[in-house]
Amino acid sequence: MTGVTSKSVRFLCFQDGGTKKLERAKISLDDCLACSGCVTSAETVLITQQSHEELRKVLGANKMVAPDQQRLVVISVSPQSRASLAVRFQLNPTDTARKLTAFFKKIGAHYVFDTAFSRNFSLLESQWEFVRRFRAQADSKQALPVLTSACPGWICYAEKTHGNVLLPYISTARSPQQVMGSLVKDFFSQQQPLLLGPGSCTTAVFSTQHLTPDKIYHVTVMPCYDKKLEASRPDFFSQEHQTRDVDCVITTGEVFKLLEEEGVSLSELESAPLDSLCSSVSAQEPTSHQGGGSGGYLEHVFRHAAQELFGIHVTEVTYRPLRNKDLQEVTLEREGQVLLHFAAAYGFRNIQNLVQKLKRGRCPYHYVEVMACPAGCLNGGGQLKAPDMPGKELLQQVERLYSMVRTEAPEDVPGVQELYGHWLQGEGSEQASRLLHTSYHAVEKAGSSLSIRW
């Protein structure tokens, strides 16, 4: 059978001569990530290689070999996923973090970290980058606005749909997931002694050499499927060690599947202490940051820029909603003059409007926190759904539990300055640039595509 079109009416034609009128296809903005930039077959393969089944294979393989042949399994959990699981199991965020640590170690993981720690570096690098670009705007028309880069869905859209038009404006700071990849595969691997011979923890023989990155299997738990594509980018692959910074990304929903397959209820598990990347840092409870469930980039950069550029201490950031709740503005004024003009644009309808303004040279903002999902990362496609609860009510509960966690300013977090000094060789160093920043690439469209208006 074949499909034919006549006068814009579609029919399905059967071999016996019969026809059936088809319903008009309806595609909303929420259905499409990036027009003419859909997931390719190669990307589909990359996504299928990252699943909770792959994690199971690695854990199973570890059980079949001697300790010195095992891969060290490290799991990094995002605060957004933690909040979603907390709602499902009716736990507070701290208990969720501890019970999740116990579960992962029960099935064979060696370490469980919180990506809120790596987010500190992403926020700090974003703050310093904005100040540099603000001061350089007189010399470069493309210095501003700065568009955030933590959302891989937005990055996919920018690279595939608008290419070199948008890329100069996008922040080069790595997302918390990919900063955690650098921390685990570069810093943490150097802290792990190489096991030379089999035995228990008390009888094993260790080398003075450290563990190489390819001996670590790094898994992240994320609220978003697009994080799988982000982890698969060539930019985050080590040619020297033939390994990725993040080997596998599983969504919140896939963690729930793991729990179901193991016959485990998170609420019934005993707690286990959280692990810490630094010996000088205690990880007794999870932490987070001010500024909302997508990481607080706008708020942290705004406060820092106000102080650094204009000597103004901002005690409270006031958001002004525009045409919808996913488009908000923040301004810094002095004597009637606007000094800083920031915005948060969530969802592709708002993103498309932002892009059109930028292409026409009419974008009024210095900085925009851009997220593909309406309501941001707490509403990511990989989060848990509740069939018996309206989506709006579920999101409100996730937001409430997410905000219960103690917040810290990234510059005040124990261990961060220590790592900048010893691991990264100082702020603004080549080492920091290599491990905490990245670049973007325009993707050529494969063949012709339909001209679709948003």
Side-chain angles (χ1 to χ4, degrees), residues 429-451:
S429 68
E430 290 186 9
Q431 179 90 330
S433 178
R434 179 176 66 86
L435 293 169
L436 303 182
H437 289 260
T438 187
S439 56
Y440 310 99
H441 322 281
V443 178
E444 292 186 9
K445 299 177 182 178
S448 61
S449 60
L450 296 175
S451 177

Side-chain angles (χ1 to χ4, degrees), residues 7 61 118 122-123 153 157 161 169 184 194 206 299 310 358 380 409-410 421:
K7 295 182 179 179
S118 59
S122 187
L123 288 171
Y157 169 76
T161 308
Y169 298 103
V184 168
L194 186 63
F206 291 95
E299 192 156 320
F310 303 104
L358 200 153

